[in-house]
Amino acid sequence: VTDAVSSTWISSLGKYIDKFEADFAAFCGTQYGVATSNGTVAIHLALVTLGIGKDDEVIMPDLSFIATANTVLQAGAIPVFVDIDPYSLCIDPAAVERAITPRTKAIMPVHLYGHPADMPAINAIAAKHNLVVIEDAAEAHGATIGSQKVGGFGVCGCFSFYGNKNITTGEGGMITTNDEALYQKLRYLRDHAMSKEKRYW
C-alpha cells in the first residue's frame, strides 16, 4: 500500500491497476480484465460497449440487487424479469426461453450469493437465439461450474469489489472477457475515449 501511494498512481492508471486486472482475469480463467470504479459501472459499461440500448430487451432474474436492472435502464434498454430456480436462487433457464422476443438482445444471469446460474443451459439458449450473455458475478468471485470459474462463461463477466464482497477494494469493479476486440473497446470507453496518440486536445 505504501509503495502504491508513494508512486502517486493511486487511481485509474499505474502498475498496480495493470497487475490487478491481469491477475484477476487469470484467477477467473479469462484473458482480459478491465477495472472499473464499481460493479454497477462494470455492468453499464459492458451493456454500452456491446451496443445494447434503446428498446432492446435484457432478460434477468427477478431476484437481484437493483443495480442489475438500473444499469439496463441507464443504457436505455428494457429489463425483462423472469423467475428463479428455487434451489439455486438463480435465473431459471426455462423461464428465459419463454421470455425471448424479437427485441431481446441479451441474457444477464446473476450468480446470487455465490451460487452460479446454470450457465451451460443459458449459453445454449443464447446460441440458439443469437443473444449475448453478460454475467452479473458481483457476489460470486471464485464460484465454479465444474472446473471453470464464473466470469468466463458469457461474452463478459461483471464483478464488484464493494466492502461487503468476498474480495474488496472498498469500491471497485471488474469486467472479465476472452474477446480481445471487446476488451479494447471496453478500455477505450472506460477511459473517456481518449486517443492513444494524443490523450488531451
Side-chain angles (χ1 to χ4, degrees):
V1 171
T2 301
D3 187 48
V5 172
S6 297
S7 76
T8 73
W9 291 101
I10 57 170
S11 62
S12 303
L13 299 171
K15 69 179 183 179
Y16 289 104
I17 299 292
D18 295 341
K19 181 170 171 49
F20 183 41
E21 289 175 332
D23 288 356
F24 191 78
F27 170 75
C28 292
T30 60
Q31 291 183 280
Y32 307 105
V34 178
T36 61
S37 56
N38 58 54
T40 304
V41 167
I43 299 172
H44 181 246
L45 178 59
L47 288 163
V48 170
T49 304
L50 289 164
I52 296 168
K54 184 172 171 53
D55 297 329
D56 293 336
E57 293 179 350
V58 179
I59 297 173
M60 64 185 61
D62 56 10
L63 178 62
S64 180
F65 182 61
I66 192 66
T68 311
N70 280 347
T71 54
V72 173
L73 292 170
Q74 186 181 6
I78 301 164
V80 175
F81 301 104
V82 301
D83 207 357
I84 59 167
D85 173 81
Y87 176 75
S88 69
L89 303 182
C90 295
I91 198 165
D92 180 356
V96 170
E97 188 128 41
R98 289 192 298 269
I100 293 171
T101 74
R103 295 198 303 182
T104 305
K105 292 294 186 294
I107 306 168
M108 194 183 299
V110 178
H111 306 304
L112 198 67
Y113 307 130
H115 298 288
D118 187 348
M119 294 310 300
I122 291 165
N123 282 344
I125 293 166
K128 177 180 173 184
H129 296 278
N130 195 30
L131 305 173
V132 297
V133 176
I134 303 167
E135 295 174 75
D136 180 342
E139 300 181 348
H141 316 63
T144 60
I145 299 173
S147 61
Q148 185 175 347
K149 288 189 176 75
V150 299
F153 285 95
V155 67
C156 62
C158 299
F159 292 84
S160 170
F161 303 114
Y162 187 65
N164 65 353
K165 301 302 187 288
N166 53 356
I167 299 175
T168 182
T169 57
E171 273 285 359
M174 185 80 72
I175 303 170
T176 53
T177 186
N178 286 310
D179 185 323
E180 184 178 5
L182 178 62
Y183 164 71
Q184 294 295 347
K185 190 172 182 184
L186 287 164
R187 287 181 61 88
Y188 178 70
L189 293 179
R190 178 198 63 182
D191 296 332
H192 301 279
M194 286 182 174
S195 166
K196 288 182 179 179
E197 289 71 36
K198 184 179 178 182
R199 289 175 60 81
Y200 293 101
W201 295 80

